[in-house]
Amino acid sequence: MTQALAVTGTVEATLPALFAPDARTAERVVEFFTARIRNPNTRKAYARAAGAFAAWCADHGLTELSQVRPVQVAAYIEGLQDKIAPPSVKLQLAAIRMLFDWLVVGQVVPVNPASSVRGPAHVVKKGKTPVLSAEEARALLDSVDADSPVSLRDRALIGLMVYTFARVGAVTKMRVEDIYVQGRRTWVRLHEKGGKRHEMPCHHNLDEYLQAYIEAAHIGADAKGYLFRTALGRTKQLSERPMSQADVYRMICRRAKDAGVRTRIGCHSFRATGITEYLRNGGKLEVAQQMANHESARTTGLYDRRNDQVSLDEVERIVI
């Protein structure tokens, strides 16, 4: 029996037969992806993981949920380790485990066959996000010609991610009213993951970038309007529509190329760059954690690339 599984209203997939043997089970599975998982990106990733596992089960003659045992889940996870990276394998296992937990609570299946299956060992001490040096970040910001609302928008957006450690998802959600004055200082309000609101005072450079952009774009009176807006073709003027994460990524790639930055950066690179430079200049890890709005200092530590410079200095000692 097939059912339509609507995910976030933008992604639509067909519920696999394994998870839709009857209307009650299908409804419970749909509830998992719509009511249990709130983050849209996690929802999409878990839906893909569940679909891939269901396809594997169909290929191996497992057509009913009651046939799935820990040994089958373990075999599936073992096979994935030759195809994808350990973090991706762990995500696949987490999705399967959470889905079956939900089905156990809903009395669809008696036990969770994935609960006893262990994923691959994977310890991360340093993140993989490409990081710019302070000189590269400065060169990138200085390379943006402040000759149009679009250029000023780009400089303000990049500066915001550097100086506040903001995630691109929080930046694209910002409204004009999220830039405000408090105690004679400009502040920014970020709407982070999980509905968390995070407020930060502006660095003096960022304050200058934001004020110049808002004034040139004539959006100061549009408090409820989006802060960072798409361009109207090649007119160098702005629309009322918000930039998407893909829009921001394309802009960053274009600006980096124009500035001669050879590091293959992405939207998250500025978060790592800001944290690294803050710590390099005497900042404290626990304060960086608060500024980045991380749950743990360990997560913040993954963005710390100060040791990269130490390693480079030591390599240069090999005088041959």
Side-chain angles (χ1 to χ4, degrees):
M1 173 180 173
T2 47
Q3 298 279 339
L5 172 59
V7 181
T8 74
T10 58
V11 179
E12 194 169 279
T14 301
L15 199 63
L18 179 68
F19 296 118
D22 52 65
R24 175 172 169 269
T25 301
E27 182 179 3
R28 184 67 180 173
V29 172
V30 170
E31 284 178 354
F32 173 75
F33 289 105
T34 55
R36 177 67 178 84
I37 308 296
R38 300 306 311 152
N39 184 281
N41 293 324
T42 303
R43 188 180 288 157
K44 293 174 187 177
Y46 278 26
R48 287 193 294 267
F53 177 66
W56 182 89
C57 287
D59 291 342
H60 290 75
L62 303 174
T63 58
E64 298 180 9
L65 289 171
S66 60
Q67 295 177 299
V68 181
R69 297 286 189 270
V71 65
Q72 278 95 20
V73 178
Y76 175 67
I77 296 300
E78 187 73 22
L80 288 179
Q81 295 186 58
D82 296 328
K83 302 175 182 178
I84 57 179
S88 297
V89 176
K90 293 174 78 70
L91 183 147
Q92 297 281 322
L93 179 57
I96 296 168
R97 185 177 289 151
M98 283 186 63
L99 176 55
F100 272 101
D101 272 342
W102 184 258
L103 295 178
V104 169
V105 172
Q107 300 182 342
V108 174
V109 293
V111 295
N112 184 345
S115 62
S116 61
V117 178
R118 295 186 60 184
H122 181 65
V123 179
V124 178
K125 295 184 178 180
K126 184 176 77 171
K128 294 182 179 180
T129 304
V131 177
L132 294 174
S133 66
E135 293 76 16
E136 286 178 310
R138 184 73 263 159
L140 176 57
L141 287 165
D142 289 344
S143 71
V144 181
D145 294 327
D147 60 353
S148 71
V150 172
S151 295
L152 290 168
R153 176 204 68 184
D154 295 350
R155 187 179 67 173
L157 195 157
I158 293 172
L160 182 65
M161 290 194 291
V162 169
Y163 289 115
T164 69
F165 314 160
R167 298 178 178 88
V168 64
V171 170
T172 55
K173 293 176 185 175
M174 291 182 71
R175 308 278 179 160
V176 175
E177 65 182 359
D178 291 323
I179 309 297
Y180 62 97
V181 175
Q182 178 176 286
R184 299 184 180 180
R185 190 71 181 265
T186 301
W187 286 63
V188 297
R189 182 185 300 110
L190 301 167
H191 301 275
E192 295 280 6
K193 295 191 298 184
K196 298 177 183 177
R197 195 173 76 171
H198 181 51
E199 297 172 333
M200 280 271 292
C202 286
H203 186 280
H204 66 274
N205 286 342
L206 175 58
D207 189 359
E208 177 186 336
Y209 298 158
L210 287 170
Q211 298 305 330
Y213 162 56
I214 291 172
E215 182 178 346
H218 304 293
I219 59 175
D222 186 14
K224 298 296 183 181
Y226 285 101
L227 180 62
F228 296 110
R229 310 177 182 200
T230 58
L232 290 169
R234 299 180 181 275
T235 64
K236 294 189 177 182
Q237 299 302 312
L238 301 174
S239 71
E240 295 183 354
R241 299 190 307 274
M243 296 179 72
S244 66
Q245 294 189 26
D247 292 330
V248 176
Y249 176 72
R250 286 192 293 268
M251 179 274 287
I252 288 170
C253 292
R254 184 176 68 255
R255 292 295 185 184
K257 181 179 179 181
D258 292 344
V261 175
R262 299 179 63 183
T263 303
R264 299 188 64 178
I265 59 175
C267 299
H268 223 51
S269 295
F270 300 107
R271 184 172 172 84
T273 298
I275 291 173
T276 297
E277 290 306 314
Y278 169 77
L279 295 172
R280 195 191 305 279
N281 286 283
K284 298 179 180 179
L285 182 62
E286 58 270 25
V287 177
Q289 175 191 345
Q290 295 175 3
M291 294 168 68
N293 201 30
H294 282 144
E295 291 292 335
S296 71
R298 181 180 179 279
T299 302
T300 310
L302 297 177
Y303 291 86
D304 181 7
R305 303 300 179 80
R306 289 175 292 174
N307 288 335
D308 289 0
Q309 187 61 46
V310 173
S311 300
L312 177 59
D313 291 343
E314 292 304 309
V315 167
E316 291 301 324
R317 293 179 182 271
I318 307 172
V319 182
I320 297 177

